[in-house]
Amino acid sequence: MESVCATARRRGRKAALAGAAVVCAGAAGLFSTPALADFRVCNATQNLVGVAIGYRAKAGWVTEGWWHIEGSTCKTLIEGPLSSRYYYLYAEDADHGGRWDGPVNMCVADKEFKIAGVNDCFARGFQRAGFKEYDTGKQSNWMVQLTDQPAMNGAAAVTGSGNPGSDSQ
C-alpha cells in the first residue's frame, strides 16, 4: 500500500501548511475520549494525513509509520504508558502535500516501516525527514493535534496530559 506521503509527493505538491501541531491535554473539544495511557495523534483538518513517529527504545532510536488518519479523527500510535520523555513526529497532508515537521532528522520509507537507527538514511535505502520534538515531561500519556490554523506568534501551544497549564514554544 502506497503511503500518504508518497501519494502527496507523486502529486508534486510541496507547499507547506500554514499550520502547527498543537499538543492538547487529555480529552478536549472535537476529540472527546476517556484519558488513556498512550501517545495519540488527532487530525483536526478535513484531509487525510500520514503520520510517522520517532522515539528512543532500549536498543536505540526507532522510527515507525505510516498511520493514515482521516480528517477529524484520532489514532493511537503507542499504546500503554509512555516510556520515554521525548517523542518525535512527522506528518504529511495527502490532499495538499503540506507537512508538519521539525529540525530533527530521522529515517522514513514510502511504505509501512519500522526502522532502527536514524543515521545514514539514504545509504540504507530510506528517505530522511525532519521530525518535531515533543517533551512529554515523563507523563504517561500525550496527544498531538494537527491543525491547519497557525498558532499565536507562529508557535505551537503545548500542554501535556494532566497538566492544566499551557506554554508557548
Side-chain angles (χ1 to χ4, degrees), residues 6-155:
T7 301
R9 280 193 291 275
R10 190 181 76 245
R11 291 180 185 167
R13 296 182 178 142
K14 299 287 184 181
L17 287 177
V22 179
V23 180
C24 301
L30 181 61
F31 305 106
S32 184
T33 58
L36 302 172
D38 54 23
F39 192 102
R40 292 174 53 83
V41 175
C42 293
N43 177 5
T45 75
Q46 297 303 307
N47 304 321
L48 177 65
V49 173
V51 177
I53 191 167
Y55 54 91
R56 180 97 179 169
K58 288 181 182 176
W61 289 102
V62 175
T63 53
E64 292 186 62
W66 295 105
W67 284 268
H68 299 166
I69 306 175
E70 298 287 337
S72 301
T73 64
C74 299
K75 282 224 174 144
T76 298
L77 278 54
I78 297 175
E79 293 184 8
L82 301 180
S83 58
S84 295
R85 177 174 177 173
Y86 298 97
Y87 289 86
Y88 302 82
L89 201 70
Y90 175 80
E92 286 190 5
D93 181 319
D95 296 328
H96 297 106
R99 61 185 155 263
W100 295 264
D101 58 3
V104 180
N105 288 321
M106 295 184 166
C107 303
V108 297
D110 278 340
K111 300 189 184 299
E112 185 176 327
F113 66 90
K114 184 170 185 176
I115 302 169
V118 296
N119 295 321
D120 302 318
C121 298
F122 298 121
R124 296 189 295 144
F126 303 117
Q127 292 90 40
R128 188 173 59 201
F131 284 63
K132 178 171 175 42
E133 179 181 272
Y134 292 93
D135 180 353
T136 67
K138 288 280 206 182
Q139 295 188 53
S140 63
N141 60 316
W142 198 260
M143 185 178 84
V144 175
Q145 183 171 316
L146 304 175
T147 68
D148 54 10
Q149 298 297 317
M152 305 228 353
N153 301 325

Side-chain angles (χ1 to χ4, degrees), residues 22-23 135 142 151-152 155-160 163-169:
V22 179
V23 180
D135 180 353
W142 198 260
M152 305 228 353
V158 176
T159 7
N163 178 0
S166 176
D167 293 327
S168 277
Q169 289 184 334

